[in-house]
Amino acid sequence: MRLAALCALALLTSCGDHLDVKPIGRQEGRAQTAITIRSLDKPGAEIVENHGQSQTVRVHVEVEQRDGEKWKDTGTNVKLVERCTEAEADQTCRNLPAGARLTVAPWNGMDVGGQCPESHSIDENIGPGTFRFVVTSCDGKDRFEGDPFDMPGETPPPPYMPDAKK
Amino acid sequence: MAIAIEYGRITGLINAPTRAPAITWDDTHGRYVGFTLVARNRADGQVKFTGNGRDSRDGWDVGWIQVAEARTNWGMYRGEKEEDGSVFVQRGGGSANRQRMCLDISRRRIIGDVFTRTKEAAPWCHCGIPTVPFPVTVALIEQDQPFDWYDLETKNALAKGRTNYLDEVQMEFKFCTVLSVRDSARTFHHLAHFYWSARWHYTFHPKRYSPKPEPEDWTVTPVEGGNGATMSAAYQFPPRDANLTRVLTAKHTLDCHGVVDLASQNTRPGGPGRREYADRNHKPDVRR
């Protein structure tokens, strides 16, 4: 009897733990989507996961900024790549296989060169504000909207310019 | 009394020198060498408006307009051995890019607009006239730090895909920055301007080829006379160069991001801005 009670207690405990775990693909308060975009540990660091069938999506990731009740495209150049040197960086669309998890090369808030190196003169930090990544299917019909995240407005030092050689 | 511009002037200029190129080497960003200034250049300006409380400020914008020209921008790659060949990349005014002048704007360009900035918050902006009593003085700042980069390695298809290593880079960017007002009739009033430039010319040599050279294995040498940044005095009147003023506000002027994108496409394998050679020691005409 005591053993059964202990087992029941263990079962209840484990069930209680699982109550906090979100099933794959379910965003809190939103309908299930095949492709999710989740925020990682710091602003601008996102992971894209395909919970459905293999799908072709645009390499260009829209970075939207909250403007009151609306979201507007910032025109910032962010690509759906883990590394800037990937061949996919030069393509218009790429395949996301079923079950794929892609940790997007992080974006630092700059409107140009904020993810991968880009030749530029004028650049500006488009924060502070609340932003989200949006991945679009290659044919443009489907949009997958990511978790909102807050980005500060300070201009960060270029992450890819170490101290110059003397 | 209608809104009028009492004056517009540049009140301060700071010119930042060029810095030696820096090699970046990480999994995310790749292996490349970056070129920039030690800090952002800075221009401070003021525009004073007069008017009365009933004048509508709608449609008035004040900001900076900048035109850039990158006539020189090329890189040369060479293999380790004679049979590895060489590769020449032309991003500047050669065959890759016939448009010499471009409009320098932040990427978030409002279609049809020409000001460098899109942020509305002064002083880094193109802004409207604040809703405070006239006379109103708007203070503006423009800060700029050009950046360009070249991969440290490239594959030479003409030499069976052998690796060619960065050997030499020369770049020069020239700018004209104009303090300008656009009135409610969308007429521009260019009030003051200055010129500035930055150039780099370096040779690169890996101290070893195998195993792959790490950042510390590269010898980076400045070419004498090829490096520096200049800035003119502030001219408190509109630019007088007709070619320049035509480009400043013309809708057909390509913005510099478009020019960069075009050069990037043109310098991919097979593009008109990329020339591969079987000869490791080939000396191309860098003007083409």
Side-chain angles (χ1 to χ4, degrees), chain A residues 74 119 121 123 125 160 162, chain B residues 19 24 32 108 119 144 148:
Chain A
T74 63
S119 306
S121 177
D123 65 347
N125 188 306
Y160 41 78
Chain B
R19 61 178 283 179
T24 290
Y32 63 89
R108 293 190 306 148
K119 277 191 170 181
D144 203 351
D148 207 343

Side-chain angles (χ1 to χ4, degrees), chain B residues 30-96:
Chain B
R31 299 172 180 185
Y32 63 89
V33 60
F35 301 82
T36 188
L37 306 177
V38 298
R40 292 173 183 265
N41 280 338
R42 176 173 169 140
D44 286 76
Q46 283 182 353
V47 180
K48 186 174 180 182
F49 297 92
T50 58
N52 69 39
R54 288 187 298 276
D55 292 329
S56 172
R57 303 173 200 220
D58 291 346
W60 284 81
D61 294 292
V62 54
W64 302 91
I65 304 175
Q66 181 161 287
V67 169
E69 182 183 29
R71 190 180 292 266
T72 302
N73 190 344
W74 58 266
M76 188 74 201
Y77 294 80
R78 301 192 190 281
E80 176 189 357
K81 304 184 179 88
E82 179 59 39
E83 61 265 28
D84 297 341
S86 55
V87 176
F88 178 71
V89 170
Q90 174 65 273
R91 293 182 190 162
S95 56

Side-chain angles (χ1 to χ4, degrees), chain B residues 88-152:
Chain B
F88 178 71
V89 170
Q90 174 65 273
R91 293 182 190 162
S95 56
N97 178 17
R98 290 294 173 196
Q99 166 143 352
R100 299 289 172 88
M101 287 190 185
C102 56
L103 205 57
D104 214 358
I105 51 170
S106 76
R107 187 166 276 275
R108 293 190 306 148
R109 180 183 186 179
I110 300 168
I111 301 300
D113 213 337
V114 299
F115 292 103
T116 56
R117 304 277 168 188
T118 55
K119 277 191 170 181
E120 286 299 320
W124 290 272
C125 65
H126 93 257
C127 342
I129 302 174
T131 51
V132 296
F134 285 109
V136 177
T137 301
V138 179
L140 294 168
I141 299 173
E142 178 55 55
Q143 289 186 296
D144 203 351
Q145 188 170 5
F147 171 82
D148 207 343
W149 63 285
Y150 274 85
D151 283 315
L152 283 169

